[in-house]
């Protein structure tokens, strides 16, 4: 199951515009395609200058980027947690996501109605967060009931879980996201109780599939006239992101959608005029990739294909081999490893080997972001 980022926001925040911009970028911006695989799900290639540099060096016949999937999730409105609108349906869709991109409306447009009279992206974010927290609260309350009945025959075994769940319920009830629960002092206290530990708290949160436990980034969708910085509303979004320790991306979804259909040089020239150094979409895709805590490793198979692959941070050469092919993983012998920039400096794998810069690593080697890996295996 590939990792997915859900595009979430109030109606008319620009979610579908953003999603379509990513989809259309496929046509015009060939190196970084984005294809729609289901009406609301698309695959974005991750722009990566390291991959470009390796392709320059090796001149393969094919270059393949790493990817991230996005889903356009409609229907988050006030009252959604009670099932209003498409409430339940969209909450189920969010539950399946690995991370969320919260689209916040910062663009003025009298023709596009907004749920409130004045634009206030932070108030909008609070509405979104409250709905998610209330949905989580309902989840936790259901779990408490289940745990209570399980505890009847063996109260001691469930003591820690019940205490922790009660604290979590209070935390969510105050409108706080599950993300910040592990760090609150009372949770720390519970963690020290028998059966606990911070890892146990994390495991419990994970098991509950809580919406407010998902990593997220904020997207300030601004009007073209406020580019490149996005004006005061975007500044407030950046502030909010800094306060909660998340990332924020400022972009104009409508401009991105239009520019995605232009010839690349003209789009680049217009971007430069607006003061933008790179497509906002690229920044969004890259930020999403970081949000998922993914790293990239590269393969340069026979000089034919240069490819970027995705791996969870902390996984090993053996896992990397499995990404490439299950046969390669099964027959894993060892891996030749060199950092991408060392390979560039060496000029070729052969030269890197001759000069002793190619390392030989075993299956437990923890892959580092930017490693070029060649796995030796027996079939
Ligand atoms: N002026 C302006 N309009 C936008 C921008 N992004 C989206 N819109 C418009 O806002 C309306 C709602 O956008 P849509 O993407 O359908 O919102 P959704 O409900 O969040 O999916 C559409 O008419 C868009 O053209 C933007 O950056 N600037
Ligand atoms: Mg929409």
């Amino acid at each position: 199951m590939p990792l997915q980022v859900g595009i979430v926001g109030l109606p008319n925040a620009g979610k579908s515009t953003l999603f379509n911009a990513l989809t259309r970028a496929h046509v015009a911006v060939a190196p970084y395609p984005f294809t729609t695989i289901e009406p609301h799900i698309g695959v974005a290639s991750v722009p990566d200058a390291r991959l470009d540099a390796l392709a320059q060096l090796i001149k393969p016949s094919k270059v393949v980027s790493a990817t991230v999937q996005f889903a356009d999730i409609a229907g988050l409105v006030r009252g959604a947690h009670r099932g209003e609108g498409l409430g339940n349906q969209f909450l189920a869709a969010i539950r399946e996501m690995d991370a969320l991109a919260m689209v916040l409306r910062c663009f003025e447009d009298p023709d596009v109605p907004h749920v409130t009279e004045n634009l206030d992206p932070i108030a909008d974010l609070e509405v979104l967060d409250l709905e998610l927290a209330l949905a989580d609260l309902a989840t936790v309350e259901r779990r408490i009931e289940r745990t209570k009945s399980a505890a009847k025959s063996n109260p001691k075994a469930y003591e820690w879980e019940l205490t922790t769940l009660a604290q979590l319920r209070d935390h969510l009830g105050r409108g706080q996201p599950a993300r910040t629960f592990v760090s609150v002092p009372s949770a720390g206290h519970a963690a020290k109780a028998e059966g606990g530990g911070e890892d146990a708290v994390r495991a419990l949160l994970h098991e509950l599939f809580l919406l407010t436990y998902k990593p997220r980034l904020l997207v300030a969708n601004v009007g073209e006239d406020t580019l490149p910085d996005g004006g005061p509303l975007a500044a407030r979004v950046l502030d909010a992101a800094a306060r909660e320790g998340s990332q924020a991306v400022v972009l104009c979804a409508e401009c991105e959608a239009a520019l995605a259909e232009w010839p690349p040089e003209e789009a680049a020239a217009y971007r430069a005029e607006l003061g933008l150094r790179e497509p906002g979409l690229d920044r969004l895709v890259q930020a999403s990739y970081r949000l998922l805590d993914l790293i990239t490793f590269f393969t340069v198979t026979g000089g034919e294909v240069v490819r970027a692959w995705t791996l969870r941070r902390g996984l090993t050469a053996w896992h990397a081999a499995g990404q490439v092919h299950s046969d390669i993983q099964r027959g894993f012998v060892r891996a030749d490893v060199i950092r991408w920039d060392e390979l560039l400096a060496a000029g070729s794998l052969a030269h890197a080997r001759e000069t002793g810069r190619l390392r030989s690593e075993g299956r437990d080697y923890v892959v580092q972001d930017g490693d070029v890996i060649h796995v030796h295996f027996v079939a």
Side-chain angles (χ1 to χ4, degrees):
M1 182 65 193
L3 296 168
Q4 285 187 348
V5 179
I7 301 177
V8 177
L10 292 177
N12 284 338
K15 299 181 296 295
S16 299
T17 306
L18 183 60
F19 181 82
N20 292 335
L22 289 162
T23 309
R24 278 184 242 156
H26 175 52
V27 185
V29 191
Y32 303 124
F34 186 101
T35 41
T36 303
I37 55 176
E38 275 177 47
H40 301 293
I41 297 176
V43 187
S45 294
V46 182
D48 191 331
R50 298 168 302 181
L51 179 67
D52 299 342
L54 288 172
Q56 280 283 330
L57 174 73
I58 292 164
K59 305 208 178 349
S61 46
K62 199 168 161 204
V63 182
V64 184
S65 307
T67 59
V68 176
Q69 289 199 0
F70 286 90
D72 180 8
I73 301 176
L76 189 40
V77 292
R78 201 186 283 277
H81 75 280
R82 292 192 300 267
E84 277 172 29
L86 292 167
N88 292 328
Q89 231 174 301
F90 98 85
L91 289 171
I94 295 180
R95 222 172 283 291
E96 289 172 18
M97 298 295 134
D98 300 289
L100 303 177
M102 317 289 284
V103 180
L104 302 171
R105 176 163 170 178
C106 299
F107 67 88
E108 304 270 358
D109 189 338
D111 294 335
V112 180
H114 186 56
V115 277
T116 53
E117 202 176 320
N118 292 317
L119 287 186
D120 186 342
I122 305 308
D124 292 354
L125 182 61
E126 281 164 6
V127 172
L128 299 171
D129 279 343
L130 186 62
E131 287 307 320
L132 299 178
L134 291 174
D136 282 350
L137 187 59
T139 304
V140 171
E141 275 166 353
R142 279 195 301 274
R143 171 68 177 246
I144 287 175
E145 289 317 308
R146 276 219 317 276
T147 307
K148 270 186 184 160
S149 38
K152 275 186 195 132
S153 56
N154 189 358
K156 200 94 200 112
Y158 292 94
E159 202 178 295
W160 173 81
E161 186 175 316
L162 276 175
T163 313
T164 310
L165 286 169
Q167 287 172 345
L168 178 58
R169 180 189 54 206
D170 297 345
H171 182 78
L172 292 165
R174 288 191 296 272
Q176 301 294 315
R179 275 191 309 283
T180 61
F181 179 66
V182 196
S183 54
V184 302
S186 57
H189 183 71
K192 284 189 202 79
E194 199 177 340
E198 268 193 19
D199 287 346
V201 176
R202 286 205 184 86
L204 182 62
L205 289 169
H206 201 74
E207 211 180 294
L208 287 163
F209 281 101
L210 298 179
L211 306 176
T212 61
Y213 192 51
K214 296 182 187 296
R216 56 108 166 264
L217 60 82
L218 307 182
V219 180
N221 183 18
V222 304
E224 179 172 342
D225 51 335
T226 66
L227 289 173
D229 65 334
L233 291 179
R236 292 185 55 204
V237 173
L238 289 170
D239 257 9
R243 254 181 282 127
E244 68 174 42
S246 357
Q247 305 182 54
V249 176
V250 179
L251 53 76
C252 167
E254 209 173 47
C255 316
E256 296 288 340
L259 287 172
E261 297 200 323
W262 289 21
E265 305 80 52
E266 284 175 39
Y270 191 65
R271 275 203 184 89
E273 234 172 83
L274 291 172
L276 298 172
R277 253 175 292 137
E278 57 183 342
L281 299 180
D282 288 7
R283 281 182 285 120
L284 176 62
V285 173
Q286 285 163 334
S288 303
Y289 197 75
R290 285 195 298 271
L291 187 64
L292 294 167
D293 206 21
L294 299 173
I295 62 164
T296 303
F297 71 92
F298 303 97
T299 54
V300 295
T301 324
E304 294 291 317
V305 184
V306 172
R307 179 160 181 170
W309 302 82
T310 296
L311 201 66
R312 284 258 192 213
R313 191 181 300 282
L315 294 188
T316 63
W318 186 75
H319 292 109
Q323 282 285 63
V324 178
H325 203 286
S326 54
D327 289 347
I328 298 182
Q329 186 177 50
R330 208 173 302 119
F332 187 101
V333 178
R334 64 188 169 84
D336 291 337
V337 180
I338 185 168
R339 225 176 48 215
W340 72 280
D341 50 342
E342 289 172 337
L343 175 56
L344 281 189
S348 71
L349 274 181
H351 193 242
R353 184 176 288 115
E354 282 159 22
T355 52
R357 273 179 281 186
L358 200 62
R359 286 173 284 133
S360 183
E361 303 281 3
R363 55 184 279 155
D364 294 333
Y365 168 73
V366 175
V367 176
Q368 303 298 306
D369 189 34
D371 278 348
V372 178
I373 297 184
H374 178 76
V375 177
H376 296 271
F377 68 106
V378 287

